[in-house]
Amino acid sequence: SSWIPRKRASSVKPTGSRMNNPAPTIALIAGEASGDQLGAALVNELKAIYPDARFVGIAGRQMKAAGVETWWDCSELAVFGLFEVLSHFPRLLKLRRELVRRLLDLRPDVVIGIDAPDFNLGLEIRMRREGIRTVQYVSPTVWAWREKRVRKIARAADLVLCLFPFEPEFFRHHAISATYVGHPLADQVEENNDPRGARQRIDLIPDATTVSLLPGSRLGEVSRLAEPMIGAARILSDRHPGIQFACAIANQQVEAVFRDEMERLDAPAIRLVQQDPRSVIAAADTVLCASGTATLEVMLVNRPLVMTYRVAPSTYRLGKALNLVKLKWFSLPNILADEGLVPELIQHEATAENLADAADRWLNDETARERLFARFRSLHETLQCDAGRKAAQAVAGLLGNTAA
């Protein structure tokens, strides 16, 4: 639900008449690591259109490197789960009040919310009410769960930039302006056919069977997935002498949580790799992967995967009781293909034994792997649209740039 009273969005036109300004001020609000990737690609392309533009907002490492004047780090917004959000609500509300004050003082030409819809949509409603243009980059998954949020999106965004080809049609049915721009990762990530080279980069044995673990970037999800992933590694280690494991670690806090679980569970040797998830993926014969953008990255690198996820039990029970989730599939490869290309082990199914068994099926069935590789290549091609450039052109069009 919105964090501000629900009022009808203003129809007032943007004041200040800076729509054709060759040096606009553009505010971007990114909510986590995946949003930081999207924001950086967008900023770099917007610079080609507006070389003297000023970029401000909430950003991560990549957006900072692209030149965003960072008021807060995007890790401040990386909260997941209904009850988890409630526990952080006072802090987030205070942050948003200060953010609104800064934005209204600055009056940027456009405010672009990147993902993080629970935070950004309410902010966009407020900005739009004040006559500031708004863009929501990454469609909230209203086609999957909490469909009533589409009414909030209609009040919040002048334009929705969609990463997936089936989304604009959904928004057109609700009279919301939406553009398919493709996914920047599909442009950036190439299929990798050199697992030996990737293993050498992260100090693994080049010829050993390798299983990679991607437990996520949020502390909550890592704390819930570390146990079944490490347990699966123990089982696979018993079944396959000489097998090796690598784990993609988002930051030092995540590493501390994961190491604690490794010690508690007497884990087999697992190579922990910070800030290089793509090498961890490319090194793998198969990947145990948390739900989310990481499943897309595994698909683009073209490795077999097993998707798994756990949320707080209270969040899961509430979602089931209220029938909030309408997804047929949960991993992005399955959603894009509209078929069960990869196993999905969620909540009580996300056990060490189930993960190990699903990984073993990929390790032991070369024909199934080859079929999967062909489907992943086809999906990769569908998403390749030069997404950063298309997104920047759509923003420029909203700003009235006739060259866009």
Side-chain angles (χ1 to χ4, degrees):
S1 61
S2 175
W3 294 357
I4 58 177
R6 293 191 175 210
K7 296 181 181 178
R8 187 173 181 179
S10 172
S11 60
V12 175
K13 296 298 181 185
T15 57
S17 190
R18 299 194 300 176
M19 290 296 102
N20 292 297
N21 186 349
T25 297
I26 297 172
L28 304 102
I29 315 300
E32 57 183 59
S34 59
D36 184 42
Q37 288 180 318
L38 296 172
L42 176 59
V43 167
N44 286 326
E45 292 293 342
L46 283 168
K47 282 181 173 179
I49 301 173
Y50 304 110
D52 298 318
R54 179 187 178 191
F55 300 94
V56 303
I58 298 180
R61 178 176 55 87
Q62 295 184 57
M63 289 172 66
K64 291 174 190 175
V68 177
E69 179 184 325
T70 303
W71 295 343
W72 289 274
D73 190 271
C74 68
S75 61
E76 295 280 351
L77 304 186
V79 181
F80 184 74
L82 299 176
F83 289 94
E84 293 90 330
V85 168
L86 288 177
S87 68
H88 289 269
F89 186 84
R91 175 182 63 81
L92 292 170
L93 192 60
K94 181 179 178 181
L95 185 155
R96 198 170 75 170
R97 278 198 299 263
E98 177 62 16
L99 176 60
V100 166
R101 185 191 66 77
R102 289 195 186 195
L103 290 172
L104 293 182
D105 285 347
L106 182 63
R107 296 200 66 81
D109 293 275
V110 63
V111 173
I112 303 172
I114 306 172
D115 210 352
D118 289 322
F119 185 88
N120 278 326
L121 292 179
L123 176 70
E124 291 162 20
I125 288 171
R126 179 65 186 276
M127 294 299 103
R128 205 174 179 204
R129 188 179 297 153
E130 298 291 337
I132 296 172
R133 300 278 190 186
T134 59
V135 174
Q136 176 62 29
Y137 190 7
V138 183
S139 161
T141 54
V142 287
W143 37 267
W145 76 300
R146 293 169 60 198
E147 186 172 337
K148 291 182 180 178
R149 290 177 299 166
V150 74
R151 295 197 292 265
K152 187 174 181 180
I153 297 168
R155 296 161 55 215
D158 289 296
L159 177 65
V160 179
L161 302 179
C162 300
L163 304 189
F164 302 114
F166 55 84
E167 293 175 323
E169 182 63 26
F170 173 88
F171 284 110
R172 274 193 288 273
H173 285 303
H174 295 276
I176 296 171
S177 178
T179 299
Y180 170 55
V181 298
H183 204 298
L185 280 179
D187 301 314
Q188 298 164 13
V189 179
E190 296 182 355
E191 179 180 352
N192 184 297
N193 295 309
D194 182 24
R196 296 181 80 261
R199 291 167 193 163
Q200 289 175 319
R201 284 198 300 277
I202 59 175
D203 297 324
L204 293 176
I205 300 169
D207 294 317
T209 299
T210 305
V211 173
S212 290
L213 315 178
L214 273 67
S217 59
R218 303 182 188 94
L219 290 178
E221 65 184 346
V222 174
S223 66
R224 284 186 285 271
L225 291 177
E227 180 177 6
M229 284 190 173
I230 292 168
R234 289 187 64 184
I235 294 169
L236 291 168
S237 185
D238 291 340
R239 293 177 183 175
H240 302 276
I243 197 170
Q244 61 187 354
F245 303 92
C247 179
I249 298 294
N251 52 50
Q252 290 181 344
Q253 292 83 3
V254 165
E255 180 166 347
V257 169
F258 202 86
R259 281 192 184 278
D260 285 347
E261 284 298 293
M262 287 176 63
E263 292 176 10
R264 186 178 72 84
L265 298 169
D266 190 24
I270 300 175
R271 176 86 172 97
L272 304 185
V273 181
Q274 277 201 38
Q275 303 296 340
D276 192 7
R278 211 159 294 164
S279 290
V280 174
I281 295 167
D285 291 292
T286 191
V287 180
L288 304 182
C289 186
S291 178
T293 304
T295 63
L296 178 67
E297 193 160 358
V298 176
M299 183 195 88
L300 297 173
V301 175
N302 211 348
R303 293 293 184 273
L305 72 125
V306 179
M307 189 226 84
T308 184
Y309 213 72
R310 286 177 172 177
V311 296
S314 52
T315 298
Y316 182 76
R317 287 194 299 269
L318 183 61
K320 292 282 284 185
L322 299 180
N323 195 28
L324 295 178
V325 179
K326 298 182 179 180
L327 276 176
K328 183 178 179 182
W329 309 107
F330 289 85
S331 66
L332 285 169
N334 289 354
I335 291 170
L336 288 165
D338 194 25
E339 63 176 291
L341 296 181
V342 303
E344 298 182 343
L345 300 173
I346 298 167
Q347 211 63 13
H348 62 278
E349 295 180 344
T351 66
E353 293 78 8
N354 287 346
L355 287 171
D357 289 346
D360 250 343
R361 283 192 285 274
W362 287 129
L363 294 174
N364 296 328
D365 192 337
E366 182 177 357
T367 301
R369 292 197 305 271
E370 290 299 326
R371 283 198 300 264
L372 185 72
F373 294 152
R375 295 290 284 118
F376 277 4
R377 289 186 193 104
S378 176
L379 292 170
H380 193 158
E381 292 170 2
T382 300
L383 297 177
Q384 283 181 311
C385 298
D386 199 355
R389 182 178 59 83
K390 284 191 70 174
Q393 289 176 334
V395 171
L398 184 66
L399 293 177
N401 187 306
T402 55

